[in-house]
Amino acid sequence: MWGGFRRPLKQEDLYDLPQKHSASVLASELKNVTKGCESKKNKGKTSLIWILFRIFRKELMFTGLLYLCCQTISFFAPEILSWLIEFTGNPNEPIWRGLFYAFLLFAAQECHTLFRNFYFYNIMLTTIRCRSVLMQNIYRK
């Protein structure tokens, strides 16, 4: 932060991207997938969406799994809250059960937040990689 404030930034100040995020690796993946799709029966009629899905399918499926976990946890939070409300209405319940429900509600919301943030991080990273592939393919031609 102070380096850019004290003097103009140079190329040496920037850090290198991991190899899997570099445009050259992504372009070679695009070339391999495109070559594989063209060799099949529908030559020249392969959708760009399908090609991008083939390149990023692992990331997209993992991100979908994260979103499913996030939504599942958010579905159970009101149920846990109803258990906690039932606990407060019954004076014969042991106190540890109320503490357990409160901790369970807290843990569910924390897990929901972590899954949601990790989902957004992965989807943004995949979007940037997708844009990089598309821009390199456009400027290459």
Side-chain angles (χ1 to χ4, degrees):
M1 180 89 171
W2 287 106
F5 177 73
R6 292 184 181 145
R7 61 176 171 75
L9 293 176
K10 298 178 184 171
Q11 185 70 27
E12 297 84 36
D13 295 332
L14 300 175
Y15 62 91
D16 292 332
L17 284 175
Q19 193 66 20
K20 69 178 184 174
H21 299 307
S22 68
S24 60
V25 171
L26 293 171
S28 68
E29 285 182 34
L30 177 70
K31 188 176 181 181
N32 291 338
V33 169
T34 307
K35 188 188 314 179
C37 289
E38 287 176 356
S39 65
K40 293 185 180 175
K41 60 183 175 183
N42 20 333
K43 292 185 178 185
K45 295 187 179 185
T46 306
S47 170
L48 180 64
I49 302 288
W50 179 249
I51 290 173
L52 290 175
F53 177 74
R54 295 270 315 250
I55 294 172
F56 300 114
R57 67 179 171 256
K58 291 179 186 173
E59 291 91 349
L60 290 173
M61 288 184 185
F62 178 67
T63 304
L65 182 66
L66 284 174
Y67 188 72
L68 179 68
C69 291
C70 177
Q71 292 303 315
T72 304
I73 290 172
S74 70
F75 174 74
F76 284 118
E79 186 65 30
I80 298 169
L81 185 60
S82 72
W83 295 343
L84 189 60
I85 292 171
E86 284 178 19
F87 167 77
T88 58
N90 189 355
N92 297 331
E93 291 283 334
I95 192 75
W96 67 266
R97 190 168 288 168
L99 292 173
F100 175 72
Y101 292 153
F103 176 75
L104 194 61
L105 185 62
F106 174 76
Q109 292 304 315
E110 285 295 314
C111 289
H112 177 265
T113 302
L114 289 174
F115 279 126
R116 187 183 62 199
N117 287 338
F118 198 46
Y119 160 76
F120 281 125
Y121 171 76
N122 278 336
I123 203 70
M124 290 297 169
L125 186 63
T126 305
T127 304
I128 290 171
R129 291 180 72 205
C130 183
R131 284 182 60 195
S132 175
V133 164
L134 291 175
M135 287 177 21
Q136 184 172 24
N137 196 28
I138 289 170
Y139 288 119
R140 184 182 55 152
K141 292 186 176 192

